Amino acid sequence: MITLVHFQTCLSEFAEKFDKLASKYDHTIQHSAELEAVINDYSRFVTDQENKAAWEQLEHSELEELDSLVWALRNKSAQCVAIMEKYRALKLENGDVQIADYFKNIEECIDKEFGSFHVTSDSNVLLVGSGSFPMTPLLIAKRTGAQVVGIDIDEESITLGRKVVETLGTGLKIRLQSTLLENLEYTKEATHIIFSSTVAPKYELLDQLHALTNAQVVVAMRYGDQLKSLFNYPMRETDSSKWKLVDTILRPDDVFDIALYQKA
């Protein structure tokens, strides 16, 4: 079993690597292999059951620096995932379609997204935090024929994402926009809404969505608790007068779990 000291050392090393690799991004694929290796290692680290005991021990240690280290890891790993998607989109422009381990894991997660709340060809799906390589819109639109809209506040991500959709999603009903939820008319039509696990203010946005959505909407909130909270923003309580938790889809081998919400 991994020792607490070794576990802390691993966390500090990952934080340092993410910080360095985030600063190296220059809108080319120059450092993509290096970042891919670190993210794949980190994905395995947060899904390794042998690390759970060390994490639980660390949580109860009351170390003053723990909160700041965990917060830094969440933020920097989320930033690096966004950069990793940009690398993948840029590689696709050059004809390279190889898929990193992290992306394979994410694509496996997508298949299990809504549990019994099936997406059909009549569904209107909204993804908050679509990124530069919009795997979720592509997979949903291709497999179900549903209309999918992805939004992101990063203009570069939307530009790259549209090129990916043009290349891989010809004829699919996918639209990507750089906009805020409150400015999107489509929000009222959405039957299914997905929040990326790396969207930091997702629960604030969920609260805001109550007034912007229809009565039947289902929200899939990607999250990570405990050990997985090192790579995701964790689940939070919701206003019980607005949203009720109707199901959780726990995936021990995947990098995030899914909480499903409907209006109260």
Side-chain angles (χ1 to χ4, degrees):
M1 186 180 73
I2 187 171
T3 66
L4 183 58
V5 172
H6 179 56
F7 186 81
Q8 285 180 265
T9 301
C10 289
L11 296 186
S12 298
E13 288 176 351
F14 275 123
E16 187 177 334
K17 288 175 182 176
F18 283 135
D19 192 47
K20 183 199 294 186
L21 288 165
S23 68
K24 285 184 176 182
Y25 178 63
D26 61 358
H27 309 280
T28 73
I29 62 171
Q30 184 178 357
H31 303 287
S32 62
E34 189 179 359
L35 180 58
E36 179 181 313
V38 173
I39 287 182
N40 287 342
D41 286 345
Y42 198 55
S43 299
R44 288 188 286 269
F45 184 85
V46 301
T47 54
D48 187 343
Q49 296 301 306
E50 292 187 6
N51 290 331
K52 286 185 69 174
W55 165 254
E56 289 166 4
Q57 191 178 348
L58 189 62
E59 269 193 311
H60 293 100
S61 64
E62 298 183 359
L63 292 172
E64 290 183 10
E65 65 272 20
L66 177 61
D67 286 344
S68 60
L69 176 58
V70 170
W71 187 252
L73 276 165
R74 279 184 202 141
N75 287 336
K76 283 298 178 182
S77 62
Q79 184 182 358
C80 284
V81 165
I83 293 170
M84 185 71 174
E85 290 195 10
K86 291 177 180 180
Y87 284 142
R88 188 180 181 191
L90 290 167
K91 285 182 177 181
L92 183 65
E93 285 186 41
N94 298 328
D96 184 351
V97 293
Q98 288 186 0
I99 302 176
D101 290 349
Y102 168 80
F103 288 113
K104 288 177 182 175
N105 189 292
I106 292 295
E107 288 174 356
E108 289 168 4
C109 295
I110 290 167
D111 286 339
K112 310 144 187 168
E113 196 85 53
F114 282 102
S116 61
F117 296 95
H118 299 296
V119 177
T120 71
S121 59
D122 296 323
S123 300
N124 296 316
V125 183
L126 172 61
L127 174 62
V128 181
S130 53
S132 302
F133 203 100
M135 294 173 289
T136 299
L138 285 165
L139 283 167
I140 289 176
K142 186 174 182 179
R143 293 182 186 181
T144 69
Q147 177 174 236
V148 188
V149 172
I151 62 171
D152 204 294
I153 58 173
D154 183 347
E155 291 280 0
E156 184 185 17
S157 290
I158 293 296
T159 299
L160 289 170
R162 285 172 177 165
K163 291 179 181 177
V164 171
V165 170
E166 286 173 13
T167 303
L168 301 179
T170 304
L172 298 179
K173 294 185 286 186
I174 298 173
R175 188 170 81 249
L176 303 179
Q177 292 182 232
S178 177
T179 188
L180 300 174
L181 278 173
E182 61 263 33
N183 299 329
L184 186 69
E185 283 294 317
Y186 182 78
T187 305
K188 298 172 187 174
E189 305 169 30
T191 57
H192 299 72
I193 299 176
I194 304 170
F195 277 93
S196 168
S197 66
T198 54
V199 172
K202 57 192 174 187
Y203 276 94
E204 289 80 4
L205 293 173
L206 178 65
D207 189 74
Q208 181 185 344
L209 270 177
H210 188 268
L212 302 173
T213 50
N214 63 68
Q216 286 74 42
V217 69
V218 179
V219 178
M221 183 76 75
R222 297 172 178 175
Y223 75 96
D225 283 346
Q226 300 167 333
L227 184 62
K228 292 183 185 181
S229 71
L230 293 169
F231 204 3
N232 304 272
Y233 293 93
M235 185 190 290
R236 284 168 42 185
E237 290 291 324
T238 60
D239 182 339
S240 60
S241 68
K242 292 182 177 180
W243 296 101
K244 62 180 178 180
L245 178 66
V246 293
D247 198 7
T248 51
I249 302 171
L250 302 178
R251 310 302 308 181
D253 298 324
D254 295 338
V255 291
F256 58 73
D257 298 314
I258 299 159
L260 295 177
Y261 296 94
Q262 287 187 299
K263 289 190 173 180

